[in-house]
Amino acid sequence: QVLCWSPEGLQLFASSRASPSKVLTHAFARACLHSSPMQTKLDQATLLKAPAACLLGDDRVLCVYGSDVVGNAEKPVLQHLMLPQSYVAANWPMRDLAMSQCGADIAVSGERGVVLYN
C-alpha cells in the first residue's frame, strides 16, 4: 500500500499496488488557536449558542456545540460549515481560523484573502 499526505496534512491518500488506479482519500481537521469562545467570561445562554470549539478542514469548518438546539448538554452537535468552493479553489490550502469572543463571527484564511461568516 502507498500512502501520501497533502501539503497541509489534512488529507491522506492511499492506494494499493494491486489496484493503483483506485485512490482512497481520508480527510482530517485540525484545531486552531483562537477558535473557542469558552476562554471568555460569557453567560451560559450565550455560550450554548456559540461553538465550544472549531476545527479547520480542507474545505470546511467543523463547529462543535456543547448542546443541542433545546439546550441538552448531553448531546453535543457537530455542524459542517462549508467554505465557498470558489474561494477554496483559488486560495487552497486553508491556513488559519479565528472566532470572535462571543462566537458569532468566524474568519478563515487561505493562501490569500479571508472568508468571513456571521
Side-chain angles (χ1 to χ4, degrees):
Q1 192 171 30
V2 178
L3 300 173
C4 180
W5 286 98
S6 67
E8 292 295 313
L10 296 177
Q11 290 180 324
L12 178 64
F13 303 100
S15 69
S16 68
R17 294 183 186 182
S19 180
S21 62
K22 183 178 178 184
V23 177
L24 299 174
T25 303
H26 302 278
F28 294 88
R30 69 171 185 259
C32 297
L33 296 176
H34 312 295
S35 68
S36 175
M38 296 303 216
Q39 301 166 0
T40 62
K41 295 182 180 181
L42 299 174
D43 61 58
Q44 186 172 359
T46 303
L47 285 174
L48 288 175
K49 295 176 188 172
C54 287
L55 304 170
L56 181 60
D58 214 30
D59 62 349
R60 69 193 70 207
V61 175
L62 302 167
C63 296
V64 180
Y65 291 86
S67 68
D68 60 14
V69 292
V70 293
N72 185 351
E74 294 179 6
K75 295 184 179 181
V77 175
L78 178 65
Q79 178 187 11
H80 292 249
L81 182 60
M82 300 304 295
L83 298 172
Q85 193 59 37
S86 59
Y87 180 77
V88 172
N91 297 293
W92 186 87
M94 299 301 102
R95 302 230 184 248
D96 293 306
L97 175 132
M99 187 186 317
S100 64
Q101 286 186 344
C102 66
D105 303 305
I106 297 173
V108 176
S109 66
E111 190 67 27
R112 294 175 303 280
V114 66
V115 173
L116 301 173
Y117 286 96
N118 183 314

